[in-house]
Amino acid sequence: MDQYEESNHADEAEANDVESRGELYGREVETHWSEISEKNTSMREPLLRKRTNMTSQIAVIGSNVSPIESLDYEIIENELFKQDWRSRKKIQIFQYVFLKWVLALLIGLSTGLVGFFNNIAVENIAGFKLLLTSDLMSAKKYFKAFAVYATCNIGLATLAGALCAFIAPAAAGSGIPEVKAYLNGVDAPSILAPSTLFVKIFGSVIGVSAGFVVGKEGPMVHTGACIANLLGQGGSRKYHLTCKWLRFFKNDRDRRDLITCGAAAGVAAAFRAPVGGVLFALEEAASWWRSALLWRTFFTTAVVAIVLRAFIQYCSTGKCGLFGQGGLIMYDVSSAIAAYGGADILAVLFLGVIGGIFGSIYNYLIDKVLRVYGFINEKGAYFRILLVICISILTTACSFGLPWFAKCTACPTSAKETCPTVGESGNYKSFQCQGAYYNDLASLFLNTNDDAIRNLFSTSTRGEFQISSLLIFFCTIYCLGIITYGIAIPAGLFIPVILAGATYGRLVGRLFESLSSIDTGLFALLGAASLLGGTMRMTVSLCVILLELTNDLLYLPLVMLVLLISKTVADCFNNGVYDQIVKLKGLPYLEAHAEPYMRSLGAGDVVSGPLITFAGVEKVENIVHALKSTGHNGFPVIDEPPFSEAPELCGLVLKSHLLVLLKAKYFSKERVLTGRDILKQFSPSDFAKPGSGKGLKLEDITFEDEEMEMYIDLHPITNASPYTVVETMSLAKAAILFRQLGLRHMCVVPKSQGRPPIVGILTRHDFMLEHILGLYPHIKPHK
């Protein structure tokens, strides 16, 4: 892809501060469109209009179309870096390893603190709103209660939408697809920027407090990744706060490892599930894994768990307002009796099938809704905010209006909690009911999402919710969850899916109560697992997260069974929700497996031209012309006589390295080797990769006419050992190598002698279906 992609994609104003990958949302990205071919301009309208994405060099980030680049996870083995590694002492190597663990510790501490802040903020903001509404309802001031409830919801929703629309559009949604794409090797503007982190934290808190059917758990993954990026990218140049030790991490390879730790820490902080966080990063987020990374990720999530435990212990004394219940186990169902038989297995099988069907429908409808919302989002920030307000009004009307249709139920005499619940969250909301009666639908709608799930998971409360109330709540939450995702607020999918799944799980439990011995609260847990498996298509990580959430190890076999069945059934219809969103946004994600049609093509069949190469000692004018006329980010270097007996591939040189060399103007009037002198003039830190918008641009360098006729030796900065494949290798094999090695460029060399030493360069773009169909329209991708 990089032979054709453009490299400047950041807002210069804010990019001067923090060295971050994807610093700022490209507010002036329209200037980039003049450099993209007419074929690519059809992508200006994101997610819409039944058109085919014909390029993999732009994608939808937030609500706008932005240029994207590949990340370079390959170790650049040129003479300069080899000299640096040879000269490093043991103390420097120890410093490098030690600093990785220090950063893992800081990521865990920071993410744990943010996770705690999110919980305490949501519980207190939403709790204040709900308690005020409840007090007015108890005083029979129904219209005033609705006015207060609606005003709080719409006001908070407008604030969350404004933050997202004006400050960081890339913060919309859960952020998991973007993090997943980044760890696959795709970089885009703003996805990990400080502004995105700010809006992700506060927008998520405000959005959840506004009563939307969204969760703060998905955005926590994105938040953890942003924190990891901010800590690992070196601080701020503007305020001279960069750390010299962090020069080791000025590369995509180390940043990838840190962001993997951050994503795992986000899950651990959201669900208080440290082991589940590690498995989520392994199963869903990361495209590349190794044992050392496993240890650091586990250490990071353990730190998160310790931080959360410490603060929850502090809050248990009542010093954190309405927050402090539940500890690390959010929804404890361990008190239920773990006994099940043949009839119970049949009920679980039924739940798995239903979860797979509902999950695939959920994904299908989200795909359609996102396409429709694209029409609105592309019209501007005010239209995005208006959409947020409309969904807020609908959600408020449903959550306050539908409980009026529920009958008042007499409080159970055996209830462990106070009935009706007054002045706190609980299972028994009185709403309009008088005396010892409660409204079961209001107990679900007029609670925070976490408390609603806790009510559904509650055990030994078989008749607490009427079947009609469960049916109404399921239909409402299922639909609201679909239409809420895609508006301009940070929104996670985990909680809406768990809510809907737990509701129909409890409903199935009520229907099977005469045949099954499983508690209805445990049916709710199994229902949540089935819908999670049907939408997200994860198994191991979801299983462990649910066990850590509920402290229910004895029901592990049933949770495993329902996840496997729901995933299998849903896979028959469509892909997982995050995979669909990645594709919908146009992010060029490389799958772990090669597509069947790739086996009929060779690596040399898809390389694009014209190929631009440099000589080992090249004329400055030729380099400047190539950089001006193309957006290539890598160039083959070929040695020719008199520097070699015959033309031979010397290696690959990066555009960013060329610009550093050009700015230093270390030129020679004669076409001679000056590599040794260049090695003395530069250090590896001069070529370290800065954050987006920080790198040199050709426009920043001026050249005299005399300098344009001079020569420059490229050997010291040329990667002398690029990964190469023979042109006859199948594209399928090359694609697997490209992904597993985390490459940005792969050189294709000829099979026979007597030809130029390189046929072309494979980049991410060349493995995309859109590019291949452009070359071979007759190929049938699905066969």
Side-chain angles (χ1 to χ4, degrees), residues 11-19 23-25 27 167 193-196 238 692 694:
D11 187 343
E12 299 268 345
E14 188 174 335
N16 287 333
D17 181 20
V18 183
E19 301 171 30
E23 266 303 305
L24 264 195
Y25 192 78
R27 298 185 184 91
I167 298 178
S195 57
T196 302
K238 182 178 180 180
S692 294
K694 292 293 187 179

mmCIF file with all atom_site columns, all heavy atoms in Angstrom, residues 11-19 23-25 27 167 193-196 238 692 694:
data_model
loop_
_atom_site.group_PDB
_atom_site.id
_atom_site.type_symbol
_atom_site.label_atom_id
_atom_site.label_alt_id
_atom_site.label_comp_id
_atom_site.label_asym_id
_atom_site.label_entity_id
_atom_site.label_seq_id
_atom_site.pdbx_PDB_ins_code
_atom_site.Cartn_x
_atom_site.Cartn_y
_atom_site.Cartn_z
_atom_site.occupancy
_atom_site.B_iso_or_equiv
_atom_site.pdbx_formal_charge
_atom_site.auth_seq_id
_atom_site.auth_comp_id
_atom_site.auth_asym_id
_atom_site.auth_atom_id
_atom_site.pdbx_PDB_model_num
ATOM 1   N N   . ASP A 1 11  ? -3.100  17.194 11.692 1.00 0.00 ? 11  ASP A N   1
ATOM 2   C CA  . ASP A 1 11  ? -3.312  18.630 11.866 1.00 0.00 ? 11  ASP A CA  1
ATOM 3   C C   . ASP A 1 11  ? -2.062  19.227 12.500 1.00 0.00 ? 11  ASP A C   1
ATOM 4   O O   . ASP A 1 11  ? -1.708  18.896 13.609 1.00 0.00 ? 11  ASP A O   1
ATOM 5   C CB  . ASP A 1 11  ? -4.524  18.843 12.770 1.00 0.00 ? 11  ASP A CB  1
ATOM 6   C CG  . ASP A 1 11  ? -4.900  20.312 12.852 1.00 0.00 ? 11  ASP A CG  1
ATOM 7   O OD1 . ASP A 1 11  ? -4.092  21.181 12.505 1.00 0.00 ? 11  ASP A OD1 1
ATOM 8   O OD2 . ASP A 1 11  ? -6.021  20.550 13.302 1.00 0.00 ? 11  ASP A OD2 1
ATOM 9   N N   . GLU A 1 12  ? -1.403  20.143 11.805 1.00 0.00 ? 12  GLU A N   1
ATOM 10  C CA  . GLU A 1 12  ? -0.122  20.653 12.271 1.00 0.00 ? 12  GLU A CA  1
ATOM 11  C C   . GLU A 1 12  ? -0.239  21.389 13.605 1.00 0.00 ? 12  GLU A C   1
ATOM 12  O O   . GLU A 1 12  ? 0.676   21.378 14.409 1.00 0.00 ? 12  GLU A O   1
ATOM 13  C CB  . GLU A 1 12  ? 0.449   21.610 11.223 1.00 0.00 ? 12  GLU A CB  1
ATOM 14  C CG  . GLU A 1 12  ? 0.695   20.942 9.880  1.00 0.00 ? 12  GLU A CG  1
ATOM 15  C CD  . GLU A 1 12  ? 2.102   20.415 9.783  1.00 0.00 ? 12  GLU A CD  1
ATOM 16  O OE1 . GLU A 1 12  ? 2.932   20.804 10.610 1.00 0.00 ? 12  GLU A OE1 1
ATOM 17  O OE2 . GLU A 1 12  ? 2.372   19.619 8.890  1.00 0.00 ? 12  GLU A OE2 1
ATOM 18  N N   . ALA A 1 13  ? -1.350  22.044 13.835 1.00 0.00 ? 13  ALA A N   1
ATOM 19  C CA  . ALA A 1 13  ? -1.462  22.886 15.025 1.00 0.00 ? 13  ALA A CA  1
ATOM 20  C C   . ALA A 1 13  ? -1.276  22.118 16.309 1.00 0.00 ? 13  ALA A C   1
ATOM 21  O O   . ALA A 1 13  ? -0.458  22.474 17.147 1.00 0.00 ? 13  ALA A O   1
ATOM 22  C CB  . ALA A 1 13  ? -2.831  23.572 15.033 1.00 0.00 ? 13  ALA A CB  1
ATOM 23  N N   . GLU A 1 14  ? -2.032  21.027 16.488 1.00 0.00 ? 14  GLU A N   1
ATOM 24  C CA  . GLU A 1 14  ? -1.917  20.276 17.740 1.00 0.00 ? 14  GLU A CA  1
ATOM 25  C C   . GLU A 1 14  ? -0.811  19.238 17.662 1.00 0.00 ? 14  GLU A C   1
ATOM 26  O O   . GLU A 1 14  ? -0.286  18.813 18.674 1.00 0.00 ? 14  GLU A O   1
ATOM 27  C CB  . GLU A 1 14  ? -3.252  19.582 18.051 1.00 0.00 ? 14  GLU A CB  1
ATOM 28  C CG  . GLU A 1 14  ? -3.267  18.945 19.424 1.00 0.00 ? 14  GLU A CG  1
ATOM 29  C CD  . GLU A 1 14  ? -4.636  18.398 19.776 1.00 0.00 ? 14  GLU A CD  1
ATOM 30  O OE1 . GLU A 1 14  ? -5.626  18.900 19.221 1.00 0.00 ? 14  GLU A OE1 1
ATOM 31  O OE2 . GLU A 1 14  ? -4.688  17.482 20.592 1.00 0.00 ? 14  GLU A OE2 1
ATOM 32  N N   . ALA A 1 15  ? -0.445  18.865 16.448 1.00 0.00 ? 15  ALA A N   1
ATOM 33  C CA  . ALA A 1 15  ? 0.584   17.842 16.317 1.00 0.00 ? 15  ALA A CA  1
ATOM 34  C C   . ALA A 1 15  ? 1.927   18.318 16.829 1.00 0.00 ? 15  ALA A C   1
ATOM 35  O O   . ALA A 1 15  ? 2.813   17.525 17.101 1.00 0.00 ? 15  ALA A O   1
ATOM 36  C CB  . ALA A 1 15  ? 0.716   17.418 14.858 1.00 0.00 ? 15  ALA A CB  1
ATOM 37  N N   . ASN A 1 16  ? 2.140   19.633 16.974 1.00 0.00 ? 16  ASN A N   1
ATOM 38  C CA  . ASN A 1 16  ? 3.398   20.137 17.493 1.00 0.00 ? 16  ASN A CA  1
ATOM 39  C C   . ASN A 1 16  ? 3.599   19.830 18.967 1.00 0.00 ? 16  ASN A C   1
ATOM 40  O O   . ASN A 1 16  ? 4.655   20.087 19.504 1.00 0.00 ? 16  ASN A O   1
ATOM 41  C CB  . ASN A 1 16  ? 3.474   21.659 17.291 1.00 0.00 ? 16  ASN A CB  1
ATOM 42  C CG  . ASN A 1 16  ? 3.698   22.009 15.849 1.00 0.00 ? 16  ASN A CG  1
ATOM 43  O OD1 . ASN A 1 16  ? 4.270   21.214 15.116 1.00 0.00 ? 16  ASN A OD1 1
ATOM 44  N ND2 . ASN A 1 16  ? 3.227   23.182 15.435 1.00 0.00 ? 16  ASN A ND2 1
ATOM 45  N N   . ASP A 1 17  ? 2.590   19.302 19.631 1.00 0.00 ? 17  ASP A N   1
ATOM 46  C CA  . ASP A 1 17  ? 2.730   19.028 21.062 1.00 0.00 ? 17  ASP A CA  1
ATOM 47  C C   . ASP A 1 17  ? 3.171   17.608 21.323 1.00 0.00 ? 17  ASP A C   1
ATOM 48  O O   . ASP A 1 17  ? 4.297   17.369 21.706 1.00 0.00 ? 17  ASP A O   1
ATOM 49  C CB  . ASP A 1 17  ? 1.399   19.315 21.758 1.00 0.00 ? 17  ASP A CB  1
ATOM 50  C CG  . ASP A 1 17  ? 1.475   19.078 23.246 1.00 0.00 ? 17  ASP A CG  1
ATOM 51  O OD1 . ASP A 1 17  ? 2.616   19.067 23.754 1.00 0.00 ? 17  ASP A OD1 1
ATOM 52  O OD2 . ASP A 1 17  ? 0.433   18.909 23.872 1.00 0.00 ? 17  ASP A OD2 1
ATOM 53  N N   . VAL A 1 18  ? 2.308   16.644 21.100 1.00 0.00 ? 18  VAL A N   1
ATOM 54  C CA  . VAL A 1 18  ? 2.591   15.290 21.558 1.00 0.00 ? 18  VAL A CA  1
ATOM 55  C C   . VAL A 1 18  ? 2.975   14.395 20.403 1.00 0.00 ? 18  VAL A C   1
ATOM 56  O O   . VAL A 1 18  ? 2.344   14.389 19.370 1.00 0.00 ? 18  VAL A O   1
ATOM 57  C CB  . VAL A 1 18  ? 1.350   14.707 22.273 1.00 0.00 ? 18  VAL A CB  1
ATOM 58  C CG1 . VAL A 1 18  ? 1.656   13.327 22.810 1.00 0.00 ? 18  VAL A CG1 1
ATOM 59  C CG2 . VAL A 1 18  ? 0.943   15.611 23.399 1.00 0.00 ? 18  VAL A CG2 1
ATOM 60  N N   . GLU A 1 19  ? 4.044   13.640 20.615 1.00 0.00 ? 19  GLU A N   1
ATOM 61  C CA  . GLU A 1 19  ? 4.502   12.736 19.583 1.00 0.00 ? 19  GLU A CA  1
ATOM 62  C C   . GLU A 1 19  ? 3.644   11.473 19.640 1.00 0.00 ? 19  GLU A C   1
ATOM 63  O O   . GLU A 1 19  ? 3.993   10.501 20.259 1.00 0.00 ? 19  GLU A O   1
ATOM 64  C CB  . GLU A 1 19  ? 5.952   12.357 19.816 1.00 0.00 ? 19  GLU A CB  1
ATOM 65  C CG  . GLU A 1 19  ? 6.889   13.524 19.841 1.00 0.00 ? 19  GLU A CG  1
ATOM 66  C CD  . GLU A 1 19  ? 8.258   13.091 20.299 1.00 0.00 ? 19  GLU A CD  1
ATOM 67  O OE1 . GLU A 1 19  ? 8.643   11.951 20.058 1.00 0.00 ? 19  GLU A OE1 1
ATOM 68  O OE2 . GLU A 1 19  ? 8.922   13.899 20.928 1.00 0.00 ? 19  GLU A OE2 1
ATOM 69  N N   . GLU A 1 23  ? -1.956  11.735 15.619 1.00 0.00 ? 23  GLU A N   1
ATOM 70  C CA  . GLU A 1 23  ? -2.152  12.817 16.573 1.00 0.00 ? 23  GLU A CA  1
ATOM 71  C C   . GLU A 1 23  ? -3.530  13.441 16.472 1.00 0.00 ? 23  GLU A C   1
ATOM 72  O O   . GLU A 1 23  ? -4.228  13.538 17.444 1.00 0.00 ? 23  GLU A O   1
ATOM 73  C CB  . GLU A 1 23  ? -1.133  13.930 16.309 1.00 0.00 ? 23  GLU A CB  1
ATOM 74  C CG  . GLU A 1 23  ? 0.117   13.877 17.103 1.00 0.00 ? 23  GLU A CG  1
ATOM 75  C CD  . GLU A 1 23  ? -0.142  13.875 18.575 1.00 0.00 ? 23  GLU A CD  1
ATOM 76  O OE1 . GLU A 1 23  ? -0.808  14.755 19.111 1.00 0.00 ? 23  GLU A OE1 1
ATOM 77  O OE2 . GLU A 1 23  ? 0.324   12.976 19.219 1.00 0.00 ? 23  GLU A OE2 1
ATOM 78  N N   . LEU A 1 24  ? -3.891  13.933 15.319 1.00 0.00 ? 24  LEU A N   1
ATOM 79  C CA  . LEU A 1 24  ? -5.090  14.748 15.275 1.00 0.00 ? 24  LEU A CA  1
ATOM 80  C C   . LEU A 1 24  ? -5.992  14.359 14.126 1.00 0.00 ? 24  LEU A C   1
ATOM 81  O O   . LEU A 1 24  ? -5.561  13.849 13.115 1.00 0.00 ? 24  LEU A O   1
ATOM 82  C CB  . LEU A 1 24  ? -4.695  16.220 15.072 1.00 0.00 ? 24  LEU A CB  1
ATOM 83  C CG  . LEU A 1 24  ? -4.601  17.064 16.324 1.00 0.00 ? 24  LEU A CG  1
ATOM 84  C CD1 . LEU A 1 24  ? -4.586  18.513 15.903 1.00 0.00 ? 24  LEU A CD1 1
ATOM 85  C CD2 . LEU A 1 24  ? -5.745  16.806 17.250 1.00 0.00 ? 24  LEU A CD2 1
ATOM 86  N N   . TYR A 1 25  ? -7.235  14.621 14.368 1.00 0.00 ? 25  TYR A N   1
ATOM 87  C CA  . TYR A 1 25  ? -8.209  14.412 13.304 1.00 0.00 ? 25  TYR A CA  1
ATOM 88  C C   . TYR A 1 25  ? -7.921  15.368 12.153 1.00 0.00 ? 25  TYR A C   1
ATOM 89  O O   . TYR A 1 25  ? -7.693  16.541 12.353 1.00 0.00 ? 25  TYR A O   1
ATOM 90  C CB  . TYR A 1 25  ? -9.598  14.688 13.865 1.00 0.00 ? 25  TYR A CB  1
ATOM 91  C CG  . TYR A 1 25  ? -10.682 14.246 12.966 1.00 0.00 ? 25  TYR A CG  1
ATOM 92  C CD1 . TYR A 1 25  ? -11.018 12.909 12.891 1.00 0.00 ? 25  TYR A CD1 1
ATOM 93  C CD2 . TYR A 1 25  ? -11.369 15.158 12.172 1.00 0.00 ? 25  TYR A CD2 1
ATOM 94  C CE1 . TYR A 1 25  ? -12.012 12.499 12.053 1.00 0.00 ? 25  TYR A CE1 1
ATOM 95  C CE2 . TYR A 1 25  ? -12.359 14.745 11.338 1.00 0.00 ? 25  TYR A CE2 1
ATOM 96  C CZ  . TYR A 1 25  ? -12.683 13.420 11.281 1.00 0.00 ? 25  TYR A CZ  1
ATOM 97  O OH  . TYR A 1 25  ? -13.671 12.992 10.438 1.00 0.00 ? 25  TYR A OH  1
ATOM 98  N N   . ARG A 1 27  ? -8.566  17.807 10.017 1.00 0.00 ? 27  ARG A N   1
ATOM 99  C CA  . ARG A 1 27  ? -9.615  18.781 9.696  1.00 0.00 ? 27  ARG A CA  1
ATOM 100 C C   . ARG A 1 27  ? -9.413  19.368 8.299  1.00 0.00 ? 27  ARG A C   1
ATOM 101 O O   . ARG A 1 27  ? -10.345 19.859 7.686  1.00 0.00 ? 27  ARG A O   1
ATOM 102 C CB  . ARG A 1 27  ? -9.610  19.910 10.730 1.00 0.00 ? 27  ARG A CB  1
ATOM 103 C CG  . ARG A 1 27  ? -9.916  19.427 12.134 1.00 0.00 ? 27  ARG A CG  1
ATOM 104 C CD  . ARG A 1 27  ? -10.029 20.608 13.098 1.00 0.00 ? 27  ARG A CD  1
ATOM 105 N NE  . ARG A 1 27  ? -10.232 20.147 14.454 1.00 0.00 ? 27  ARG A NE  1
ATOM 106 C CZ  . ARG A 1 27  ? -9.268  19.906 15.306 1.00 0.00 ? 27  ARG A CZ  1
ATOM 107 N NH1 . ARG A 1 27  ? -8.007  20.063 14.923 1.00 0.00 ? 27  ARG A NH1 1
ATOM 108 N NH2 . ARG A 1 27  ? -9.527  19.488 16.521 1.00 0.00 ? 27  ARG A NH2 1
ATOM 109 N N   . ILE A 1 167 ? -14.537 18.045 19.124 1.00 0.00 ? 167 ILE A N   1
ATOM 110 C CA  . ILE A 1 167 ? -13.165 17.877 19.609 1.00 0.00 ? 167 ILE A CA  1
ATOM 111 C C   . ILE A 1 167 ? -12.483 16.656 19.009 1.00 0.00 ? 167 ILE A C   1
ATOM 112 O O   . ILE A 1 167 ? -11.362 16.747 18.515 1.00 0.00 ? 167 ILE A O   1
ATOM 113 C CB  . ILE A 1 167 ? -13.147 17.802 21.157 1.00 0.00 ? 167 ILE A CB  1
ATOM 114 C CG1 . ILE A 1 167 ? -13.679 19.099 21.754 1.00 0.00 ? 167 ILE A CG1 1
ATOM 115 C CG2 . ILE A 1 167 ? -11.735 17.530 21.661 1.00 0.00 ? 167 ILE A CG2 1
ATOM 116 C CD1 . ILE A 1 167 ? -13.737 19.106 23.268 1.00 0.00 ? 167 ILE A CD1 1
ATOM 117 N N   . ALA A 1 193 ? -4.893  9.717  19.588 1.00 0.00 ? 193 ALA A N   1
ATOM 118 C CA  . ALA A 1 193 ? -4.450  11.067 19.959 1.00 0.00 ? 193 ALA A CA  1
ATOM 119 C C   . ALA A 1 193 ? -4.889  11.431 21.377 1.00 0.00 ? 193 ALA A C   1
ATOM 120 O O   . ALA A 1 193 ? -5.849  10.887 21.902 1.00 0.00 ? 193 ALA A O   1
ATOM 121 C CB  . ALA A 1 193 ? -4.999  12.085 18.963 1.00 0.00 ? 193 ALA A CB  1
ATOM 122 N N   . PRO A 1 194 ? -4.198  12.384 22.029 1.00 0.00 ? 194 PRO A N   1
ATOM 123 C CA  . PRO A 1 194 ? -4.623  12.846 23.361 1.00 0.00 ? 194 PRO A CA  1
ATOM 124 C C   . PRO A 1 194 ? -6.039  13.407 23.372 1.00 0.00 ? 194 PRO A C   1
ATOM 125 O O   . PRO A 1 194 ? -6.773  13.212 24.349 1.00 0.00 ? 194 PRO A O   1
ATOM 126 C CB  . PRO A 1 194 ? -3.589  13.922 23.694 1.00 0.00 ? 194 PRO A CB  1
ATOM 127 C CG  . PRO A 1 194 ? -2.386  13.569 22.903 1.00 0.00 ? 194 PRO A CG  1
ATOM 128 C CD  . PRO A 1 194 ? -2.904  12.974 21.626 1.00 0.00 ? 194 PRO A CD  1
ATOM 129 N N   . SER A 1 195 ? -6.436  14.106 22.316 1.00 0.00 ? 195 SER A N   1
ATOM 130 C CA  . SER A 1 195 ? -7.799  14.633 22.263 1.00 0.00 ? 195 SER A CA  1
ATOM 131 C C   . SER A 1 195 ? -8.819  13.507 22.227 1.00 0.00 ? 195 SER A C   1
ATOM 132 O O   . SER A 1 195 ? -9.901  13.595 22.833 1.00 0.00 ? 195 SER A O   1
ATOM 133 C CB  . SER A 1 195 ? -7.966  15.538 21.039 1.00 0.00 ? 195 SER A CB  1
ATOM 134 O OG  . SER A 1 195 ? -7.652  14.832 19.857 1.00 0.00 ? 195 SER A OG  1
ATOM 135 N N   . THR A 1 196 ? -8.486  12.429 21.518 1.00 0.00 ? 196 THR A N   1
ATOM 136 C CA  . THR A 1 196 ? -9.370  11.260 21.479 1.00 0.00 ? 196 THR A CA  1
ATOM 137 C C   . THR A 1 196 ? -9.476  10.623 22.855 1.00 0.00 ? 196 THR A C   1
ATOM 138 O O   . THR A 1 196 ? -10.567 10.203 23.286 1.00 0.00 ? 196 THR A O   1
ATOM 139 C CB  . THR A 1 196 ? -8.847  10.238 20.459 1.00 0.00 ? 196 THR A CB  1
ATOM 140 O OG1 . THR A 1 196 ? -8.762  10.854 19.167 1.00 0.00 ? 196 THR A OG1 1
ATOM 141 C CG2 . THR A 1 196 ? -9.757  9.031  20.377 1.00 0.00 ? 196 THR A CG2 1
ATOM 142 N N   . LYS A 1 238 ? 6.823   20.157 22.714 1.00 0.00 ? 238 LYS A N   1
ATOM 143 C CA  . LYS A 1 238 ? 6.487   21.569 22.860 1.00 0.00 ? 238 LYS A CA  1
ATOM 144 C C   . LYS A 1 238 ? 6.927   22.104 24.210 1.00 0.00 ? 238 LYS A C   1
ATOM 145 O O   . LYS A 1 238 ? 7.429   23.221 24.326 1.00 0.00 ? 238 LYS A O   1
ATOM 146 C CB  . LYS A 1 238 ? 4.981   21.746 22.666 1.00 0.00 ? 238 LYS A CB  1
ATOM 147 C CG  . LYS A 1 238 ? 4.517   23.185 22.757 1.00 0.00 ? 238 LYS A CG  1
ATOM 148 C CD  . LYS A 1 238 ? 3.015   23.282 22.505 1.00 0.00 ? 238 LYS A CD  1
ATOM 149 C CE  . LYS A 1 238 ? 2.538   24.718 22.593 1.00 0.00 ? 238 LYS A CE  1
ATOM 150 N NZ  . LYS A 1 238 ? 1.085   24.816 22.363 1.00 0.00 ? 238 LYS A NZ  1
ATOM 151 N N   . SER A 1 692 ? 2.821   11.255 14.318 1.00 0.00 ? 692 SER A N   1
ATOM 152 C CA  . SER A 1 692 ? 2.263   11.799 13.077 1.00 0.00 ? 692 SER A CA  1
ATOM 153 C C   . SER A 1 692 ? 2.300   13.315 13.099 1.00 0.00 ? 692 SER A C   1
ATOM 154 O O   . SER A 1 692 ? 1.982   13.940 14.096 1.00 0.00 ? 692 SER A O   1
ATOM 155 C CB  . SER A 1 692 ? 0.826   11.323 12.893 1.00 0.00 ? 692 SER A CB  1
ATOM 156 O OG  . SER A 1 692 ? 0.800   9.938  12.706 1.00 0.00 ? 692 SER A OG  1
ATOM 157 N N   . LYS A 1 694 ? 4.933   14.994 12.943 1.00 0.00 ? 694 LYS A N   1
ATOM 158 C CA  . LYS A 1 694 ? 6.215   15.442 13.450 1.00 0.00 ? 694 LYS A CA  1
ATOM 159 C C   . LYS A 1 694 ? 7.331   15.247 12.441 1.00 0.00 ? 694 LYS A C   1
ATOM 160 O O   . LYS A 1 694 ? 8.366   15.866 12.527 1.00 0.00 ? 694 LYS A O   1
ATOM 161 C CB  . LYS A 1 694 ? 6.571   14.654 14.721 1.00 0.00 ? 694 LYS A CB  1
ATOM 162 C CG  . LYS A 1 694 ? 5.665   14.960 15.893 1.00 0.00 ? 694 LYS A CG  1
ATOM 163 C CD  . LYS A 1 694 ? 5.870   16.372 16.353 1.00 0.00 ? 694 LYS A CD  1
ATOM 164 C CE  . LYS A 1 694 ? 5.095   16.638 17.617 1.00 0.00 ? 694 LYS A CE  1
ATOM 165 N NZ  . LYS A 1 694 ? 5.279   17.976 18.113 1.00 0.00 ? 694 LYS A NZ  1
#
